[in-house]
Amino acid sequence: MSTPNSFASPASVCDNCGKTPSTSTSSSPKLQLSKCSRCKAKWYCSEACQIADWDAHRPACKRPNYILQFNLVPDIIRDPAVFRTLSVPATTTFAKLHNALQVAFGWANTHGYDFAWADPAYDSDENEALDREGFLECFEDATFWGFRKFVLRLREKDKLGVHNPDTMGGHVNRTHPETKEKSTEHTKLFKILDDKEYSDLEMEYMYDFGDNWRHDIIRKGRAPPTSHIVCLDGRGHGVAQDATITGWEALKEAYRSPSPNEEQRDNIYWYENEAMNGDSNGLGGGGPRARVGYK
Ligand SMILES: [Zn+2]
Ligand SMILES: [Zn+2]
C-alpha cells in the first residue's frame, strides 16, 4: 500500500493548459498552481482554466476518502493494542461509520455511542474535584453543569439534547448546554472533518457509556475515493464488550496463565460460551486457552 499522503500529487503542470509553475520575472508574473478544492487531485493555473476543464473533470471530481485510525482505550489496552484503520468515503454519515466500526471491532451494536470533539480548555482534575464535592448533577434540571468537556458531539438523532439514561454513570458532563450537538444520521464526514473549527481538536468515538469503550481517532491522511468503507489495517482480537476494560485485561491474563485459578476458568468459560460477542475458539484462534494472539 502506498503511504496515505502520497495520494495528493505535488503540482507540476496545469491540468487544463499545461503551464508549469514559475517564479516572477520582469516579463511575466509568478505562476502558481492551485488544487481543485473538492477532489484535491487536479491542479490549475487559474480560475479560467478550472472552469474550462470543469465539464470534462466533473464526473471524476470526488472528495478523497479519509484514512482514520481508531485506537481502543490505548492508555490501558496495550498488550496487544487493539486498533483498526479505515478508509472512509467523505460523504459517509457518522451513523454509517458507527456501523462499520461495530463490524471492524467485533462489537455487538447493543449500546449507545457518540463521536465527540474535545474542548482543549477542559481540565479533568478541576471537574472531578467539583464532582467529588457533589456539585454536579446528572438530571435534566441540573443548574450547574461543570466544565464543558466537548466542543461538539454527534449523537443518535433521538438522543439529541436529552440525557440518555446510558450517560448517567459517571458521564454528567458528556452532555452540556454549551456543547454543540448534531445527529450522526444527518452529518457527513467531510462536513466536520473539513471544518477548520474542529481540525485541531482531539476526536473520539465512544461506545457503551457504561463500560466506556473509547476509541481515539487519529487522522492518517487522505486516499482515493471508494464507494464503500474499506478496512486497511488492524491489530488485536476484538474485545468482549461486557467484560469491562479491566475485565478484558484479566481475561488475557487467564488465557496466559499456565494454571488458571477457578475465577480465571470461569472467565474463560464465560468468554467462549456466554459473552454476547465472545469467541468460542477463545483468544488466539487456536482453541481454548491458546496464547493471546493477534488478529
Ligand atoms: Zn492553465
Ligand atoms: Zn476536482
Side-chain angles (χ1 to χ4, degrees):
M1 196 189 82
S2 61
T3 57
N5 291 318
S6 67
F7 163 63
S9 57
S12 56
V13 51
C14 172
D15 282 306
N16 185 55
C17 71
K19 276 185 199 153
T20 52
S22 63
T23 50
S24 57
T25 63
S26 52
S27 57
S28 61
K30 182 177 169 185
L31 184 79
Q32 263 189 318
L33 301 181
S34 323
K35 261 188 288 197
C36 173
S37 62
R38 194 203 267 177
C39 69
K40 300 172 180 21
K42 287 276 187 179
W43 292 89
Y44 298 104
C45 71
S46 62
E47 213 184 313
C49 271
Q50 181 167 20
I51 291 167
D53 193 44
W54 180 238
D55 280 347
H57 173 51
R58 190 204 309 252
C61 185
K62 296 213 165 71
R63 294 172 195 280
N65 283 21
Y66 297 95
I67 299 177
L68 300 174
Q69 183 176 310
F70 298 83
N71 297 311
L72 181 63
V73 201
D75 43 327
I76 301 175
I77 301 178
R78 285 181 173 147
D79 182 23
V82 178
F83 75 87
R84 304 289 183 265
T85 306
L86 306 184
S87 176
V88 190
T91 52
T92 304
T93 63
F94 281 91
K96 278 203 175 135
L97 175 58
H98 154 73
N99 286 331
L101 288 167
Q102 289 292 309
V103 174
F105 279 90
W107 297 124
N109 210 351
T110 51
H111 294 294
Y113 74 94
D114 69 12
F115 292 87
W117 282 256
D119 183 345
Y122 177 75
D123 181 331
S124 64
D125 291 342
E126 277 182 340
N127 219 54
E128 273 160 31
L130 288 175
D131 201 12
R132 272 196 302 278
E133 289 170 36
F135 279 106
L136 302 188
E137 301 281 345
C138 51
F139 303 107
E140 199 79 55
D141 59 354
T143 51
F144 186 70
W145 291 79
F147 300 100
R148 177 177 74 163
K149 189 167 186 182
F150 300 108
V151 172
L152 169 70
R153 282 179 81 200
L154 302 187
R155 304 180 67 182
E156 294 167 271
K157 190 171 142 240
D158 59 349
K159 309 246 167 81
L160 286 180
V162 300
H163 278 282
N164 179 347
D166 248 1
T167 66
M168 298 294 256
H171 282 278
V172 288
N173 58 354
R174 227 171 153 77
T175 297
H176 194 281
E178 286 158 31
T179 296
K180 194 186 278 183
E181 293 192 351
K182 290 173 181 285
S183 101
T184 54
E185 286 90 342
H186 293 136
T187 309
K188 294 177 173 178
L189 258 67
F190 78 89
K191 290 282 187 189
I192 306 299
L193 299 187
D194 283 1
D195 187 332
K196 288 193 172 58
E197 197 180 337
Y198 308 118
S199 57
D200 292 331
L201 304 183
E202 288 179 5
M203 288 187 271
E204 66 181 48
Y205 164 65
M206 181 67 91
Y207 172 58
D208 183 353
F209 300 109
D211 281 343
N212 304 323
W213 298 112
R214 191 190 79 249
H215 308 62
D216 291 348
I217 309 175
I218 311 293
R219 295 176 188 235
K220 304 293 275 189
R222 307 296 295 262
T226 55
S227 55
H228 293 87
I229 298 173
V230 182
C231 188
L232 300 176
D233 192 14
R235 190 183 164 198
H237 194 291
V239 170
Q241 66 172 33
D242 299 314
T244 74
I245 295 168
T246 50
W248 178 249
E249 296 302 287
L251 183 65
K252 289 188 292 190
E253 273 311 305
Y255 274 94
R256 283 171 173 144
S257 168
S259 52
N261 61 32
E262 194 180 337
E263 189 186 343
Q264 289 176 319
R265 287 197 303 273
D266 283 350
N267 283 340
I268 288 170
Y269 182 86
W270 170 80
Y271 182 61
E272 294 176 7
N273 300 282
E274 295 171 350
M276 189 173 281
N277 65 334
D279 187 338
S280 57
N281 289 319
L283 289 177
R289 301 203 50 248
R291 194 181 71 80
V292 177
Y294 303 141
K295 189 171 151 256

